[in-house]
Amino acid sequence: MATPAINIGIEEGARAEIAGGVSRVLADSYSLYLKTHNFHWNVTGPMFNSLHTMFEEQYTELATAVDEIAERIRALGEPAPGSYSEYQKLTSIPEETGNPDAQEMLRQLVSDHETVARTARETFALADDAHDEPTADLLTQRMQVHEKTAWMLRSMLE
């Protein structure tokens, strides 16, 4: 017996286009997760305790988010990207291979959270045009988290 076609009220081409945008959000989110976890491990200086704890809260939130984002891609009928090479092609988050000081970590994370918010906002327009409320809702929630986090990180910069 054949698997039934997806019939959720969104045309196949629109679903694929939306899933492509959500895949970019996933790649940005996973790249930000990895960078935040790295900074959690390697932060030093007088703000060590507060930043170590804050970064842990942030990467834990991102770990949950990437699962929800990937599951939305699957619900749209597309495979979710899941390799470093795929993420590298899709992400707008620059990789950090060095060990910056705490202030530079904060600067990078502010920029990166704003990047994810912009990627989500771009994809929101696709979801909104297709009346894809579940994706629009997910993206709205992600924008809210990333914009608030960028504000909080920015407030710690000297």
Side-chain angles (χ1 to χ4, degrees):
M1 192 171 235
T3 304
I6 297 173
N7 184 9
I8 59 173
I10 303 169
E11 188 266 327
E12 183 177 350
R15 282 190 289 107
E17 187 176 16
I18 294 165
V22 177
S23 292
R24 290 179 46 235
V25 174
L26 176 61
D28 281 355
S29 299
Y30 196 88
S31 298
L32 180 55
Y33 162 83
L34 185 61
K35 183 183 277 191
T36 305
H37 211 152
N38 173 28
F39 289 173
H40 163 78
W41 290 328
N42 291 301
V43 68
T44 59
M47 296 192 323
F48 168 80
N49 192 48
S50 59
L51 291 178
H52 184 75
T53 300
M54 177 187 282
F55 293 162
E56 182 175 9
E57 291 168 1
Q58 291 172 2
Y59 78 70
T60 300
E61 190 281 330
L62 284 161
T64 300
V66 295
D67 192 55
E68 293 170 358
I69 296 165
E71 288 175 356
R72 185 62 198 155
I73 296 167
R74 294 298 298 134
L76 290 166
E78 298 293 325
S83 70
Y84 291 125
S85 62
E86 287 177 290
Y87 292 150
Q88 191 173 34
K89 291 175 193 170
L90 293 168
T91 191
S92 299
I93 303 292
E95 183 178 34
E96 175 57 65
T97 57
N99 192 23
D101 65 25
Q103 288 292 300
E104 179 59 22
M105 288 177 178
L106 290 169
R107 280 186 201 84
Q108 287 187 33
L109 292 177
V110 166
S111 176
D112 295 344
H113 279 278
E114 289 176 346
T115 296
V116 182
R118 286 191 309 274
T119 302
R121 186 165 275 107
E122 291 167 10
T123 304
F124 178 89
L126 298 172
D128 193 43
D129 288 347
H131 304 288
D132 179 359
E133 290 82 2
T135 300
D137 181 56
L138 173 66
L139 295 170
T140 299
Q141 291 175 36
R142 298 312 309 153
M143 286 184 275
Q144 184 176 21
V145 166
H146 291 291
E147 290 171 6
K148 180 177 181 180
T149 303
W151 159 64
M152 294 176 90
L153 290 164
R154 183 179 282 107
S155 72
M156 297 182 77
L157 286 167
E158 297 173 348

